[in-house]
Amino acid sequence: MTVRTVTEPTEEPDRSTVSTGWLAGLGTLFGMGALAASSCCALPVALVGLGATGTVLGGLSLLTNLRPFLLGGGVLALLVAWGLLVRSRATACALHGPCTEPSSRWRTVVLLGSGTLLVGLALVWGPHIEPLLLRAMRG
């Protein structure tokens, strides 16, 4: 006679949330770098006012050369992360009935939102925001 034990299926962690959070962080990091690279005048003046040295300003000039790659990487990472987040939410709702929000999902949404804001700000910084800041510094 054979005895079989019945085990409950273990729930696997939601891998899409993990990858989405990682991509959101990457997009936010790229957004911060792109924003720093977008500022040719106002940010260095503010940093010198705070006591930054030439080494910090040299790092900003390096970021200026990387700006297109930072913006492209940030936009790509954020688009993929938003897509994964929406897809995982739709899949969870279809499989499990009423949708419940995992506790880590709000952190991912906040990170995605801040990354999107930073990348968007980096895109409009040079042509629109920096001239206004420079006029305000002079006046």
Side-chain angles (χ1 to χ4, degrees):
M1 180 166 175
T2 319
V3 177
R4 295 171 111 186
T5 47
V6 178
T7 59
E8 292 291 321
T10 58
E11 270 193 44
E12 299 223 2
D14 187 9
R15 298 198 192 293
S16 62
T17 303
V18 174
S19 63
T20 304
W22 183 81
L23 283 169
L26 185 66
T28 302
L29 185 66
F30 279 163
M32 288 189 303
L35 186 59
S38 296
S39 177
C40 72
C41 305
L43 183 62
V45 168
L47 289 174
V48 167
L50 293 173
T53 61
T55 306
V56 173
L57 299 176
L60 286 177
S61 68
L62 173 70
L63 282 179
T64 303
N65 297 332
L66 297 175
R67 182 179 184 269
F69 300 109
L70 291 170
L71 279 173
V75 166
L76 182 64
L78 289 168
L79 282 174
V80 171
W82 277 114
L84 285 174
L85 183 72
V86 169
R87 188 187 71 159
S88 71
R89 172 110 170 119
T91 303
C93 290
L95 291 177
H96 303 296
C99 295
T100 58
E101 289 290 319
S103 62
S104 65
R105 178 139 354 233
W106 71 270
R107 284 180 252 146
T108 302
V109 171
V110 167
L111 201 54
L112 276 170
S114 62
T116 304
L117 180 70
L118 286 170
V119 169
L121 193 58
L123 286 170
V124 298
W125 185 268
H128 301 292
I129 297 172
E130 186 144 22
L132 294 172
L133 288 175
L134 290 174
R135 272 188 253 145
M137 289 173 145
R138 288 187 206 141

